Amino acid sequence: MDTKTTAHAAEPETSLRSPGAKALARHLRDEILGGRLRAGVKLPPERELSTRFGASRGSVRRVLAELRERGLITQSVGSGTFVSEQAEAMAREHALPHLDGNVSPAELMEARRLIEPLLPGMIARNATASDFAVMAECLEQSEAASTIEDFEYWDGALHKAFAVATHNAFFMRILDLMNQVREQGEWGRLKRNSLTPARRAQYERQHRAMVNALRDRDAGQAAALMIEHLDQIQRNLFGE
């Protein structure tokens, strides 16, 4: 099985904005990877999922697109959406343990500060033109975002793009575990309360500088910028 594809099987909901979309993504992922929705099973239509989970049709399409990218489902125009044949193998080989919810935001930041600066070396070696195109899209959308929710969505999407660009399944799993903690209410509350317009502008400048360094394959500069970015987040969140 292709490492890049299977590495994408984890946590699709971390980059989604609305509670309904996150609930839908979590439900479908758990049902598929838990073996309760088997290969070949047809999923309900978008309209039904939208009503059931209180998510917009656009959000439902985004959830399904992320599941498709991770190889968990297939979609056919005129036929519908189906659990993929490879879902069972992906569940066996790449199912992640679930955290117990007791990891604090401070513990998460400590782990991020240790682990994320290791990513630029792998990105510089392994990233493709497609990976950089995704990063560029995330930058443009985050800078154009008119709401905090939209900015947070594209901020999360950019960090996910960094992880995907390593093309390293082990690091993808570690970062998926981190993202489970980011979905906890306390982290979200701290992030929202700390995100002033000036800080958002600073994050945008830091993000763009990191992507430029990565595109230049300058792993050392990108790592230094990532450390600076994480340190700034920590100061903003905890007043350190």
Side-chain angles (χ1 to χ4, degrees):
M1 186 178 300
D2 179 71
T3 300
K4 181 179 178 182
T5 301
T6 56
H8 291 180
E11 302 286 342
E13 81 270 14
T14 55
S15 63
L16 299 170
R17 288 172 285 185
S18 72
K22 292 178 181 179
L24 171 61
R26 189 176 297 111
H27 169 76
L28 291 177
R29 183 208 65 209
D30 290 348
E31 291 296 297
I32 294 172
L33 294 181
R36 292 177 290 278
L37 286 176
R38 307 299 295 272
V41 170
K42 185 176 183 179
L43 300 187
E46 290 179 4
R47 183 181 298 104
E48 181 178 334
L49 293 174
S50 174
T51 300
R52 179 177 174 185
F53 289 89
S56 68
R57 293 286 291 275
S59 293
V60 171
R61 293 189 189 101
R62 182 177 293 128
V63 169
L64 296 178
E66 292 198 4
L67 291 171
R68 185 183 66 245
E69 289 173 3
R70 287 162 172 76
L72 291 175
I73 63 172
T74 60
Q75 292 180 301
S76 176
V77 177
S79 298
T81 303
F82 300 85
V83 178
S84 71
E85 293 294 332
Q86 59 184 334
E88 288 186 26
M90 295 169 74
R92 288 194 304 269
E93 296 179 15
H94 293 277
L96 290 168
H98 290 282
L99 300 177
D100 60 9
N102 293 324
V103 178
S104 71
E107 290 171 326
L108 172 60
M109 277 308 308
E110 184 177 23
R112 290 186 65 185
R113 181 60 175 73
L114 289 170
I115 294 171
E116 291 190 34
L118 300 176
L119 301 183
M122 287 182 286
I123 296 172
R125 289 194 301 272
N126 302 326
T128 65
S130 176
D131 293 323
F132 290 122
V134 172
M135 293 179 202
E137 173 72 7
C138 292
L139 288 175
E140 293 172 5
Q141 294 292 342
S142 67
E143 292 169 0
S146 59
T147 66
I148 291 177
E149 290 75 19
D150 282 347
F151 173 76
E152 282 295 298
Y153 169 78
W154 290 107
D155 180 17
L158 177 63
H159 283 273
K160 183 174 72 174
F162 289 156
V164 171
T166 67
H167 297 282
N168 183 295
F170 180 74
F171 269 84
M172 281 292 297
R173 296 185 72 181
I174 292 175
L175 292 165
D176 282 327
L177 288 173
M178 289 185 179
N179 284 333
Q180 288 184 31
V181 183
R182 289 179 63 135
E183 286 301 298
Q184 296 175 9
E186 181 63 13
W187 174 268
R189 183 188 66 79
L190 284 172
K191 190 70 180 295
R192 286 190 299 272
N193 290 345
S194 72
L195 190 63
T196 66
R199 287 171 176 173
R200 170 179 164 173
Q202 183 177 40
Y203 292 161
E204 290 172 354
R205 289 192 297 271
Q206 290 172 338
H207 286 158
R208 189 163 285 279
M210 283 188 285
V211 171
N212 287 340
L214 290 170
R215 189 181 286 113
D216 291 339
R217 309 288 176 172
D218 189 341
Q221 176 67 3
L225 290 167
M226 186 166 287
I227 290 170
E228 178 185 347
H229 177 59
L230 292 170
D231 287 347
Q232 185 65 57
I233 293 174
Q234 183 164 322
R235 288 193 295 272
N236 291 344
L237 288 177
F238 308 113
E240 298 177 0

